[in-house]
Amino acid sequence: MMIHNIEFIGEKIIEINDGQTILDASLKSGIPHYHECGGMAKCSTCRVLVLAGENSLTPANDKELRLKKIVGFGDNIRLACQTKVTGDNVIVRRIIRDETDASIYSHLHKENTTFQEVGEEKQLGLFFIDIRNFTPFMEKNLSFDVIHIVSRLFQIFKNAIEMHKGKIIETAGDGLYAVFGFEEAFHDAVNSAVESGIQILNDLKVFNKTYAESYFHHLFEVGIGIHAGTVIVGNIGLGISNNLTVMGLPVNVAARLQEATREVNNSFLISEYVHSFIPSPSPNLQSIDIRLKGVSDPLKVFLLGDAYS
């Protein structure tokens, strides 16, 4: 019986026999390879990205072709439960590596539909976040990996925001916009927005240390800006599930604060107004006056984050 080697990038090189599936070999080698359906080609959680040696793999069988058509992934993505190795120099990357990955790709998170008011004036905390310097990462990595990382990062953002009773209003590129105050009093909502930002920065450090640096040799940073005030909440009427919009000068100020994180060289900026809601602010918290585009007077802001690396 022929024995081949297959490399799981960032993990280990294992041996695999002729006639043995990649999933079976990886599991027997101690790799915690996800396979929600038990290796029956009824899910895609065992799929791998083929980085080299595609000619040393068996062709996709009927089960794999059926699922590939349903899910819509390309030829460089293979189901480990159906694919066997016929030669050496095969290099793959597991796509689902932990429970967070599994939840993203199994669509286990339900849509948040907490608020559908139309044409209401409301006091809200306004939260903007953007991934910093993402273009270099895009240039060095495959498009599938880029989408995978964006999904992971957005899951970190989403978890923190929803845990603190916030609602994501809009995502655009590598950033998003959320509001706080639909489910709690204004004072509490502003504090929740700040706490959400702090949690994201802490969770991002863990993600970098345990995941991004190990698998992608990259450290991710973000910029967060928070302001608060009276805004208009309305429905733009496009007939889609997430057609809620929030508009007003405080929204623009929050967005400008997020943009100013680059200029100030600090990952988390809040306005003086938001700072006034914090129950026990640190007396050593640094503040500066900055000018924001579209805002006539200088604005005092407080720096809650870290300088960029």
Side-chain angles (χ1 to χ4, degrees):
M1 180 181 293
M2 289 288 294
I3 298 178
H4 308 289
N5 290 329
I6 178 171
E7 179 180 354
F8 282 80
I9 197 77
E11 298 184 89
K12 62 170 73 172
I13 297 174
I14 68 171
E15 291 185 345
I16 182 169
N17 300 323
D18 274 336
Q20 186 178 25
T21 66
I22 293 176
L23 175 62
D24 184 57
S26 65
L27 291 174
K28 289 181 177 178
S29 297
I31 295 176
H33 207 137
Y34 273 80
H35 53 295
E36 290 293 317
C37 71
M40 303 299 293
K42 294 182 179 179
C43 75
S44 64
T45 56
C46 74
R47 55 182 149 161
V48 294
L49 176 66
V50 181
L51 301 175
E54 59 272 13
N55 293 330
S56 294
L57 300 176
T58 55
N61 60 24
D62 290 343
K63 289 183 178 180
E64 186 175 7
L65 289 173
R66 178 188 59 80
L67 191 63
K68 284 167 70 75
K69 184 176 181 180
I70 294 172
V71 178
F73 47 76
D75 291 338
N76 60 339
I77 306 296
R78 298 297 305 271
L79 290 183
C81 69
Q82 302 298 310
T83 306
K84 301 173 184 178
V85 178
T86 59
D88 293 317
N89 302 317
V90 176
I91 302 175
V92 299
R93 173 182 286 144
R94 283 193 301 134
I95 294 170
I96 311 298
R97 297 191 187 94
D98 58 23
E99 291 181 2
T100 302
D101 284 346
S103 68
I104 290 172
Y105 289 100
S106 297
H107 307 288
L108 298 180
H109 294 280
K110 297 179 180 179
E111 257 188 79
N112 184 358
T113 56
T114 58
F115 189 79
Q116 291 298 327
E117 295 288 341
V118 177
E120 178 184 351
E121 193 174 62
K122 195 167 182 66
Q123 288 185 305
L124 297 174
L126 309 157
F127 179 106
F128 281 79
I129 185 169
D130 185 75
I131 305 170
R132 288 287 172 261
N133 299 321
F134 197 64
T135 300
F137 177 78
M138 294 176 63
E139 292 174 344
K140 294 179 181 179
N141 289 274
L142 297 170
S143 57
F144 193 96
D145 284 343
V146 172
I147 293 297
H148 172 73
I149 282 295
V150 169
S151 297
R152 286 298 303 253
L153 291 172
F154 272 48
Q155 195 64 48
I156 291 173
F157 305 160
K158 181 176 183 285
N159 287 344
I161 289 167
E162 293 186 352
M163 181 181 296
H164 291 91
K165 301 181 181 179
K167 179 176 178 61
I168 296 173
I169 298 298
E170 182 178 288
T171 62
D174 48 15
L176 62 80
Y177 160 37
V179 297
F180 294 76
F182 288 157
E183 298 184 37
E184 56 186 344
F186 181 51
H187 182 282
D188 295 330
V190 176
N191 279 301
S192 292
V194 174
E195 291 170 2
S196 176
I198 293 171
Q199 179 180 329
I200 285 172
L201 292 182
N202 290 334
D203 290 348
L204 186 60
K205 289 177 181 177
V206 174
F207 173 75
N208 278 328
K209 183 177 181 180
T210 62
Y211 194 91
E213 191 171 20
S214 300
Y215 290 117
F216 295 95
H217 310 293
H218 191 90
L219 296 178
F220 292 94
E221 297 177 304
V222 297
I224 301 172
I226 298 179
H227 188 45
T230 303
V231 294
I232 301 297
V233 179
N235 190 300
I236 59 177
L238 293 180
I240 56 179
S241 59
N242 186 22
N243 50 8
L244 189 68
T245 187
V246 180
M247 302 178 66
L249 179 59
V251 177
N252 296 342
V253 171
R256 296 287 186 259
L257 285 175
Q258 181 272 117
E259 294 171 0
T261 56
R262 295 184 177 91
E263 171 191 342
V264 176
N265 191 29
N266 191 276
S267 59
F268 191 0
L269 302 182
I270 64 171
S271 66
E272 182 179 23
Y273 183 54
V274 168
H275 180 264
S276 69
F277 286 85
I278 299 177
S280 301
S282 170
N284 300 322
L285 201 60
Q286 183 182 357
S287 66
I288 58 173
D289 292 330
I290 62 174
R291 287 190 174 275
L292 301 178
K293 182 180 179 181
V295 180
S296 55
D297 297 324
L299 186 71
K300 185 175 184 178
V301 299
F302 287 81
L303 284 59
L304 270 64
D306 299 313
Y308 292 115
S309 61

